[in-house]
């Protein structure tokens, strides 16, 4: 903290920080600032417990202060790695400074967000204890240090700053490690991922969630610029099935980490939303058919399951299918509905198709609204919907009751969550297998150039109809579970746009935001889009506006979505193309390890 | 100049177009063209810009439904659906390259194999031994074709990243993947330098040696007359002359059509532009579009 005194030095002509500080001071400042930031979280920041999370205790961090601790420690770790400390070299394979800048920015943003939130919510800076002031100053130090890091100076401050947070151009190939270590790394990363994700779901108030998002975004950004994400995806490519298995283990482990069934409820809703988004990804991401009425298929599945669930309000109240039968019925009903809608509409292309599917989606909702015996046949009870859907009972395992498994209590939603994990596994399997096959290739060909695809012998209509029907069936499958989870089905959620998921606009946003044509993308997008309105209660009526803005920003800065498909990434970024031959080496790792070394 | 021993064993007709007429509204782009391609033949189709060559191609491959006339392949009349035409055994390339730009080179050729494989959704989901065998065979066949056109070392590149000449080659490989009996090439050497043109020439001969008849549209006259056993000249939608290179080369009507000397029975001057406009217009949609005089 003492070496902030700036002594004017002659700046080096080409490498100089964004700030005119001596470059020698940059890293000590980062290190000291990082430690100070983490330490300041142990002070009391405010004097009243009115601010959620209780930041009044000296000697122990609470709530948002934990995020400051994490961000500060990350800054310290990356700085130490840049000092070539043994054992930390792997953090900075390319030895670039961008991760330092970004972690420092993250620590600064998280801390200052908290300070500002305290001042605004409690009404003034007077609510800050001295600890709060110290934290604010401490968090600014690493930022100053980061901006003083030597950096290629382009003469333009904006350009220089851009360059200072750019990803390393060349990331040296990692040393070959044994497959067991690779798997260990994947396991550890999955565990950390589960921890981070669980923390996000369990955030109890909006401020904590925003702080969490800030910290996570900057941390991921830093890891990305350091090249660690690339290295990890390479590991994943080598151990694809192992990673998939670990992912499902983590997904199954989630309810066991929860004590409150409320969070399992969030989890099951995210899974339902994510499953439907993945089904939509077949239609939009692979076949390139813009479907704006997709949520109707979820509705068909849910209504079908409700009708055969044995609910006393169902038209067929005497009928009670076992779950496997109602799931198949729901999927089949959606499939038929998909073919019925697809057959006339899929003759259209592009914008016309989007408009027509939008219309058909609304037709479903309005028809369901009117089938109440008054304005139409008595099937769906109109706006009242079908309430009191009984819980599933599977081989004597009642989903509605809590069960103790190995000392853990699994509540009602946790049961459904585990069922949804199974369905999600099926959908992921269907998606990946369909995408990597003759039919998947013809979907992509249709998306790329329909005329050329038909000239290559692809029956465009047939292939598109299969995509449409498959996507519909998967959504219907998810719908059957959702009917049981929510006890009742009503027409309102199955609309084009609303402030809470699922609706067609949110589904499409989840796919586009997460990354079209990938498996992880729509799931991540669905999780984000479900959690944001759930956690940020103050957004409520403005959430659609916020999403609109978020999508516009995303389209401007990362049109391929958060998780990029390789194709899409190349499509949108003409320059800086990924080196294809290197990809080749990736794919045939086992035989070409020596080539990797030679090529590096 | 490559002296070629014309295989005059021009056997059975592969492609027979009889009385093909294509009208866009009041405009006749192709008028009663009779045309035959025999097995083992390389046939050229020449003509000034806007003569209706590509329109005629589109009629042959089912992209357009001819207003009158029929197209038959090896004796059976072709349905006017592009994918059925390809399935029957006619493959084509496009004047402006239409690769699947964001697919890899190998995937492009695999898409070309679509009609010769039949693994559907269920087999893709279940991944039985049949599926794996078919995938492996498709890949082997695709690699053979990439070997044939000289792109085997670029199998994992995205098609968009290939240089222009290689994109043309890839388009030919993709068309060959459908195991055609007749290959239609729409201006295969457009935009190529002399070396590349010569290489394409070799490639076309090699394709013919595989027993595939070739019909090509081209503006490079040296290329056409070197290559083709037979050349037909299309002017203003009508077949002006057809015959060996020498016959067509010495036909003064052909020369007149290219050099602009008026010849008998010329319609209005604007007809040419209209054909072009109509072609460009209907290239965007496969349905025939009403093109009236208000097109300007």
């Amino acid at each position: 903290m003492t070496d902030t005194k700036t002594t004017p030095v002659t700046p080096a002509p080409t490498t100089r920080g964004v700030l005119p500080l001596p470059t020698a001071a940059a890293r000590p400042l980062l290190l000291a600032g990082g430690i100070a930031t983490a330490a300041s979280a142990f002070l009391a920041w405010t004097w009243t417990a009115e601010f959620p999370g209780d930041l009044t205790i000296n000697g122990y961090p609470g709530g948002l202060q934990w995020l400051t601790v994490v961000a500060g420690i990350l800054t310290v770790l990356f700085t130490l790695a840049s000092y070539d400390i043994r054992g930390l070299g792997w953090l900075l394979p390319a030895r670039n400074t961008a991760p330092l800048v970004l972690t420092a920015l993250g620590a600064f943003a998280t801390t200052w967000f908290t300070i500002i939130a305290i001042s605004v919510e409690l009404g003034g800076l007077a609510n800050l204890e001295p600890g709060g002031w110290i934290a604010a100053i401490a968090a600014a130090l690493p930022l100053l240090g980061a901006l003083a890091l030597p950096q290629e100076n382009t003469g333009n401050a904006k350009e220089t700053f851009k360059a200072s947070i750019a990803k390393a151009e060349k990331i040296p190939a990692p040393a070959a490690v044994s497959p067991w270590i690779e798997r260990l790394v994947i396991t550890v990363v999955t565990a950390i991922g589960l921890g981070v994700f669980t923390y996000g779901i369990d955030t109890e108030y909006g401020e904590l969630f925003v702080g969490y998002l800030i910290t996570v975004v900057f941390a991921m950004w830093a890891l990305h610029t350091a090249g660690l994400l690339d290295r990890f995806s390479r590991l994943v490519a080598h151990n694809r099935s192992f990673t998939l298995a670990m992912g499902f283990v983590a997904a199954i482990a989630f309810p066991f980490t929860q004590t409150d069934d409320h969070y399992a409820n969030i989890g099951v809703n995210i899974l339902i939303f994510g499953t439907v988004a993945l089904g939509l990804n077949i239609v939009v991401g692979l076949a390139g058919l813009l479907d704006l009425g997709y949520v109707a298929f979820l509705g068909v599945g849910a209504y079908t399951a409700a009708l055969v669930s044995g609910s006393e309000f169902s038209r067929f109240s005497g009928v009670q299918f076992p779950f496997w039968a109602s799931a198949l019925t729901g999927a089949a009903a959606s499939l038929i509905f998909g073919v019925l809608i697809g057959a006339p509409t899929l003759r259209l292309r592009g914008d016309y198709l989007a408009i027509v599917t939008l219309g058909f989606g609304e037709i479903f909702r309005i028809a369901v609204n009117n089938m109440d015996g008054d304005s139409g046949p008595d099937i769906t009870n109109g706006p009242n919907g079908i309430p009191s859907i009984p819980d599933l009972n599977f081989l004597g395992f009642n989903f509605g009751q809590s069960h103790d498994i190995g000392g853990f209590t699994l509540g009602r939603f946790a049961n459904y969550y585990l069922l949804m994990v199974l369905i999600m596994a099926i959908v992921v399997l269907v998606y990946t297998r369909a995408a990597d096959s003759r039919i998947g290739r013809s979907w992509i060909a249709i998306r790329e150039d329909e005329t050329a695809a038909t000239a290559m012998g692809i029956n465009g209509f047939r292939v598109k109809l299969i995509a449409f029907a498959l996507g519909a069936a998967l959504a219907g499958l998810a719908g059957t579970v959702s009917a049981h989870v929510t006890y009742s089905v009503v027409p309102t959620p199955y609309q084009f746009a609303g402030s809470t998921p699922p609706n067609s606009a949110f589904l499409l946003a989840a796919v586009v935001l997460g990354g079209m044509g990938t498996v992880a993308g729509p799931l991540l997008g669905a999780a984000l889009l479900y959690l944001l309105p759930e956690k940020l209660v103050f957004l409520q009526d403005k959430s659609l506006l916020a999403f609109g803005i978020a999508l516009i920003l995303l389209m401007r800065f990362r049109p391929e979505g958060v998780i990029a498909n390789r194709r899409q990434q190349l499509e949108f970024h003409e320059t800086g193309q990924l080196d294809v031959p290197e990809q080749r080496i990736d794919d045939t790792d086992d035989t070409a390890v020596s080539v990797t070394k030679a090529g590096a | 100049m490559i002296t070629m021993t014309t295989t005059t064993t021009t056997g059975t007709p592969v492609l027979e177009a009889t009385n093909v007429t294509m009208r866009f509204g009041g405009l006749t782009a192709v008028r009663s063209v009779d045309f035959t391609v025999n097995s083992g033949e390389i046939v050229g189709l020449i003509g000034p810009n806007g003569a209706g060559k590509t329109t005629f191609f589109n009629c042959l491959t089912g992209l357009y439904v001819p207003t009158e006339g029929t197209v038959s392949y090896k004796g059976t009349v072709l349905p006017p659906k592009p994918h059925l035409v390809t399935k029957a055994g006619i493959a084509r390339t496009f004047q402006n390259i239409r690769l699947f730009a964001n697919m890899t080179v190998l995937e492009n050729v695999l898409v070309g194999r679509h009609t010769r494989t039949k693994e559907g959704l269920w087999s893709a989901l279940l991944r039985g031994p049949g599926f794996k065998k078919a995938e492996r065979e498709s890949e082997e066949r695709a690699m053979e074709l990439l070997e044939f056109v000289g792109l085997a070392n670029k199998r994992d590149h995205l098609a968009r990243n290939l240089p222009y000449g290689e994109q043309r080659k890839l388009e030919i490989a993709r068309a060959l993947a459908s195991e055609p009996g007749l290959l239609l090439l729409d201006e295969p050497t457009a935009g190529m330098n002399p070396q590349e043109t010569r290489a394409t020439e070799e490639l076309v001969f090699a394709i013919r040696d595989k027993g595939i008849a070739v019909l090509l549209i081209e503006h490079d006259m040296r290329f056409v007359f070197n290559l083709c056993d037979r050349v037909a000249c299309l002017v203003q939608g009508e077949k002006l002359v057809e015959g060996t290179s020498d016959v067509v080369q010495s036909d003064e009507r052909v020369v007149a059509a290219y050099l602009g000397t008026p010849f008998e029975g010329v319609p209005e001057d604007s007809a040419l532009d209209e054909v072009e406009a109509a072609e460009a217009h209907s290239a965007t949609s496969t349905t025939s579009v009403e093109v009236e005089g208000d097109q300007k």
Side-chain angles (χ1 to χ4, degrees), chain B residues 58-73:
Chain B
N58 288 346
C59 289
L60 294 183
T61 51
L63 282 177
Y64 293 166
V65 183
T67 324
E68 283 167 31
T70 55
V71 181
S72 57
Y73 174 76

Side-chain angles (χ1 to χ4, degrees), chain A residues 430 432-434 436-439 441-445 448-449 451-459 463 466 470 566-567 570-571 574 577 580-581 584 587, chain B residues 63 82-83 86 92 94 98 100-104 107 110-112 114-115 117-121 124-127 131 135 155-158 160-161 174-175:
Chain A
V430 167
T432 48
R433 290 198 160 181
D436 176 31
S437 72
R438 171 173 175 267
I439 191 97
R441 282 192 297 269
S442 56
W443 285 335
I444 299 172
E448 291 286 314
D449 185 336
T451 306
T454 51
M456 286 304 112
I458 294 171
N459 184 345
V463 166
I466 292 175
L470 181 65
R566 192 168 66 95
R567 283 186 224 288
L570 289 167
E571 194 172 339
E574 290 284 342
Q577 291 177 336
V580 185
R584 180 93 186 86
D587 294 340
Chain B
L63 282 177
H83 65 272
T86 311
R92 69 168 294 173
F94 292 88
R98 299 187 84 151
F100 307 121
N102 294 306
M103 296 176 90
T104 65
E107 282 171 332
L110 285 175
V111 169
H114 190 89
T115 51
T117 44
K118 51 183 184 297
E119 277 60 46
L121 182 62
L125 295 185
L126 300 176
R127 300 261 150 144
F131 175 83
E135 284 285 290
R155 53 174 267 170
D156 287 328
H157 288 235
L158 287 194
R160 60 185 296 131
N161 292 347
R174 186 182 68 177

Side-chain angles (χ1 to χ4, degrees), chain A residues 14-27:
Chain A
T14 51
T15 57
R16 190 176 69 90
V18 180
L19 285 183
L21 291 175
T23 52
R27 284 195 291 178

